[in-house]
Amino acid sequence: MLSRLMSSSIRSLDRECNCTVRLLDDSEYTCTIQRDAKGQYLFDLICHHLNLLEKDYFGIRYVDPDKQRHWLEFTKSIAKQMKSQPPFTMCLRVKFYPPDPAALREEITRYLVFLQVKRDLYHGRLLCKTSDAALLAAYILQAEIGDYDPGKHPEGYSSKFQFFPKHSEKLERRIAEIHKTELIGQTPETSELNFLQKAQMLETYGVDPHPCKDVSGNPAFLAFTPFGFTVLQGNRRVHFLKWEEVTKLKFEAKTFHIYANQKEDKKIILTYFAPTPEACKHLWKCGVENQAFYKLEKSSQVRTVSSSNLFFKGSRFRYSGKVAKEVMEQSAKIKRDPPEIHRAGMVPSRSCPSITHGPRLTSVPRTRRRAVHISIMEGLESLRDSAHSTPVRSVSHGDSFMSSRGQMVDGSEASTSAVISDEAYSPSDSVLPTPVAEHGMEPLARHLNGAPCSIDEEKDSEAGTSKEGQAAEFGPGRRALRMVRSRPSPPSDVEELNKFILSVLRLFLVTIGLLFALLLLLIMLTESDLDIAFLRDIRKTPEFQQFHFEYFCPLRRWFACKLRWMGGFLVSK
């Protein structure tokens, strides 16, 4: 009896696992979940912990053992998605950036979005010009430390904070000047809202960059924003397609295709190559979800999409959440007292610190905090001299293809290309750094604001327990560095021919399988007792009579004999 109780308790423990989710303020939420628990259960626990109702903008991100980032799917089991042994480590992040942060119903939601956008600014994902950068940093300063106080804030106090991957003394002085003179009296809530409204107008708002290469081998970053699909190269946005213009997203292996209709008589096809097939599939799924969220009117319009034109080939995926319009309508119905917000203030941050050089920094030295940004800078170094936009295949009237370098077809580049930062803006060095030597990263060192920095990985990352797995959450820099060094060439004609032959073979095998299944179904129907004119005519033919007496009846007797023997064998046992 005791052994039974012990075994049942052990089995119940095996069905449970620990899960840690790092929140946007870098605090951690730990819970115990069942092994068969789905992602929605964990997400609801986190939202209840945060007292968050406008939760459809957020998601849970994790890194698999192959160091590939993923969004946790809420309709599937957590354990099956993680592909690793517990305890599980994940991160809460903004998955769908609100098109208008001011329209958010509750302040708690705006605060969490503020933390995410501040993190984007710190990691170099939110790029802007010098004037915009100074104002954004001043808003952060006002939200965190309040009004300028000469007694508390000595000369050069703004240099004690890290807002960007890299910045200059001139920019620090400008940040302090704005904070001292223009933001006096603003509450943290007002400063955060002003920060979001300013960030919303930037070209890189809501950008979660995916490192890729175009058909010429030039590095590029693909991203999905609340307003459409964008491509970044160097310090420019070289392509922008509104969600209404995007018609189809496809991928095969490492190749990603975007189909769009910019005008009634012109179709655009963009082709890019991801570092790995897994990265390409993640890119495709992100695009499908963003397009469904921002483009559709109702979630009932969501359809299952395939990564290929052939039904038996490729991946199938369906977005399972609400769309933006439904989220806004649901938010308008919220009627409760505003929940209390516990702002992180000056608490040191693992991945997005804007903290002073006081005693709090003993566990996270300034050089270590900047090391991760150097790795991002090195990973994106090849974008400095990249002045090429992606060659575009333009289809006019459905039958003509053209390629162009440096501009889109019919001069439409002027409407989509935009400078997102200037050379004088020091934070833009995170995507426009000094070229990297080919021998590796270890001997490299940089000096930022007089502090020497080595290229060590940051000890505490945003996702995963291993250093390599954690580095993936900080952005595409390190993965882009590996991709830049290897520089995979576009598929050759032989590879394209092999893909075509494989597609034909798949089609042939599927056709043979369908014909065989139809033949079996027809035999079952003709040998059944169904009295249908069509079947009666078949039964009267000499061919069927011969098949029935010479093949079907002996085969049926053989199966019946085997079944009787197996039944007798099981009864005797």
Side-chain angles (χ1 to χ4, degrees):
M1 184 68 179
L2 180 61
S3 62
R4 290 182 181 179
L5 291 175
M6 292 178 63
S7 62
S8 63
S9 62
I10 292 174
R11 285 196 300 270
S12 64
L13 289 175
D14 290 340
R15 289 195 297 266
E16 295 181 346
C17 56
N18 293 327
C19 183
T20 299
V21 180
R22 187 162 295 163
L23 306 179
L24 284 162
D25 60 356
D26 284 317
S27 63
E28 292 182 349
Y29 175 78
T30 303
C31 62
T32 301
I33 60 175
Q34 298 292 323
R35 274 192 171 271
D36 58 350
K38 295 185 177 180
Q40 187 66 53
Y41 174 77
L42 176 61
F43 185 64
D44 289 340
L45 285 179
I46 297 171
C47 293
H48 178 74
H49 171 73
L50 296 173
N51 204 1
L52 178 65
L53 294 183
E54 296 175 289
K55 56 187 180 181
D56 297 277
Y57 297 105
F58 302 87
I60 299 176
R61 172 172 276 166
Y62 67 95
V63 181
D64 67 16
D66 296 325
K67 299 179 277 295
Q68 172 61 48
R69 296 189 303 170
H70 300 274
W71 288 106
L72 190 70
E73 295 187 39
F74 295 159
T75 58
K76 296 183 179 180
S77 168
I78 297 174
K80 291 181 179 179
Q81 294 184 68
M82 295 300 292
K83 301 179 184 178
S84 62
Q85 295 300 319
F88 301 136
T89 303
M90 292 169 273
C91 303
L92 179 72
R93 296 291 179 260
V94 173
K95 186 176 184 180
F96 304 111
Y97 288 73
D100 183 10
L104 295 173
R105 182 74 173 182
E106 295 197 309
E107 184 184 333
I108 179 67
T109 314
R110 280 193 296 273
Y111 175 64
L112 294 177
V113 175
F114 164 77
L115 292 178
Q116 176 67 67
V117 179
K118 184 178 74 168
R119 182 185 299 271
D120 294 342
L121 187 69
Y122 177 75
H123 287 299
R125 293 188 290 265
L126 182 68
L127 288 182
C128 53
K129 298 184 179 181
T130 308
S131 57
D132 297 328
L135 182 58
L136 289 173
Y139 282 136
I140 296 175
L141 207 57
Q142 179 70 21
E144 291 196 350
I145 68 175
D147 292 340
Y148 169 72
D149 185 347
K152 297 180 180 179
H153 307 138
E155 185 69 23
Y157 70 100
S158 63
S159 63
K160 310 298 183 181
F161 294 80
Q162 186 74 26
F163 304 105
F164 316 103
K166 178 184 176 183
H167 51 86
S168 63
E169 294 182 2
K170 180 180 178 181
L171 181 59
E172 292 172 355
R173 291 194 298 269
R174 178 56 182 160
I175 293 171
E177 179 183 349
I178 296 176
H179 177 241
K180 292 177 183 178
T181 59
E182 300 181 18
L183 306 182
I184 296 177
Q186 284 193 12
T187 62
E189 297 84 355
T190 303
S191 297
E192 291 163 3
L193 178 58
N194 291 336
F195 172 87
L196 290 175
Q197 288 179 325
K198 182 62 180 179
Q200 171 206 352
M201 298 186 296
L202 301 177
E203 303 288 348
T204 52
Y205 170 73
V207 163
D208 183 16
H210 300 258
C212 293
K213 286 181 180 292
D214 61 21
V215 294
S216 299
N218 299 315
F221 289 88
L222 280 59
F224 309 102
T225 73
F227 314 106
F229 168 80
T230 185
V231 180
L232 306 175
Q233 283 185 314
N235 65 338
R236 301 181 66 86
R237 184 192 70 181
V238 296
H239 293 305
F240 176 74
L241 299 172
K242 297 179 181 179
W243 286 122
E244 294 77 13
E245 299 173 343
V246 178
T247 58
K248 187 187 303 182
L249 302 172
K250 288 174 50 181
F251 87 95
E252 182 176 0
K254 299 181 182 180
T255 308
F256 181 70
H257 304 282
I258 306 98
Y259 296 77
N261 293 331
Q262 286 195 315
K263 296 179 181 179
E264 294 182 358
D265 60 342
K266 186 174 70 172
K267 298 181 180 179
I268 299 296
I269 303 175
L270 301 177
T271 301
Y272 292 90
F273 304 99
T276 64
E278 292 75 16
C280 195
K281 184 176 181 179
H282 174 62
L283 171 64
W284 173 71
K285 292 173 69 174
C286 289
V288 170
E289 290 186 314
N290 277 271
Q291 186 178 24
F293 183 82
Y294 294 113
K295 182 178 180 180
L296 300 181
E297 297 288 329
K298 299 179 180 178
S299 57
S300 58
Q301 298 175 343
V302 177
R303 297 290 181 265
T304 302
V305 296
S306 175
S307 63
S308 174
N309 290 331
L310 301 177
F311 70 92
F312 59 87
K313 180 182 175 184
S315 302
R316 297 174 65 82
F317 179 70
R318 186 179 189 274
Y319 171 61
S320 58
K322 297 184 179 68
V323 300
K325 188 173 182 179
E326 291 176 334
V327 173
M328 294 298 296
E329 292 174 352
Q330 185 177 0
S331 299
K333 300 177 182 179
I334 297 177
K335 294 181 180 179
R336 66 167 181 175
D337 294 334
E340 184 180 359
I341 300 176
H342 301 281
R343 286 178 165 80
M346 305 299 291
V347 176
S349 168
R350 292 180 178 86
S351 58
C352 186
S354 53
I355 53 181
T356 65
H357 288 304
R360 295 180 184 270
L361 290 182
T362 54
S363 60
V364 187
R366 186 179 180 95
T367 56
R368 289 299 298 275
R369 289 189 295 124
R370 289 184 173 180
V372 66
H373 308 304
I374 301 299
S375 66
I376 294 175
M377 291 164 59
E378 305 296 351
L380 309 183
E381 54 84 24
S382 60
L383 298 185
R384 171 186 289 275
D385 300 319
S386 176
H388 306 293
S389 63
T390 306
V392 179
R393 288 193 296 170
S394 176
V395 186
S396 299
H397 306 289
D399 58 1
S400 62
F401 290 83
M402 293 186 296
S403 295
S404 64
R405 179 184 294 270
Q407 63 177 6
M408 293 180 62
V409 180
D410 297 334
S412 59
E413 172 73 7
S415 61
T416 58
S417 177
V419 176
I420 58 176
S421 63
D422 49 57
E423 294 183 358
Y425 173 36
S426 295
S428 66
D429 287 345
S430 63
V431 283
L432 303 175
T434 307
V436 177
E438 290 294 330
H439 55 268
M441 296 170 58
E442 290 77 7
L444 295 176
R446 295 289 183 268
H447 292 263
L448 295 184
N449 295 341
C453 300
S454 62
I455 306 179
D456 297 326
E457 284 195 44
E458 188 173 274
K459 183 176 180 180
D460 295 321
S461 176
E462 295 183 2
T465 55
S466 67
K467 288 185 177 181
E468 291 181 334
Q470 292 167 352
E473 173 59 26
F474 288 113
R478 195 171 297 276
R479 199 177 309 139
L481 177 58
R482 293 194 297 268
M483 178 187 64
V484 169
R485 287 178 180 171
S486 59
R487 297 189 69 85
S489 59
S492 62
D493 294 339
V494 176
E495 293 176 347
E496 293 292 341
L497 179 61
N498 291 336
K499 290 180 180 179
F500 174 75
I501 294 175
L502 288 175
S503 299
V504 173
L505 287 177
R506 290 195 193 101
L507 178 61
F508 176 75
L509 292 175
V510 171
T511 304
I512 294 298
L514 290 176
L515 291 177
F516 184 73
L518 290 175
L519 179 61
L520 291 179
L521 179 61
L522 180 61
I523 292 173
M524 293 175 58
L525 291 176
T526 52
E527 294 292 345
S528 66
D529 296 331
L530 293 176
D531 189 13
I532 302 176
F534 166 69
L535 298 178
R536 286 198 304 267
D537 294 339
I538 294 178
R539 295 185 186 116
K540 293 177 181 179
T541 59
E543 293 82 2
F544 177 79
Q545 295 292 332
Q546 183 181 5
F547 169 80
H548 177 76
F549 291 108
E550 294 185 9
Y551 298 99
F552 181 77
C553 289
L555 187 63
R556 183 174 58 182
R557 288 194 295 269
W558 182 83
F559 271 111
C561 179
K562 292 295 182 183
L563 289 174
R564 284 195 298 270
W565 178 84
M566 291 180 63
F569 178 77
L570 293 175
V571 170
S572 63
K573 285 289 185 179

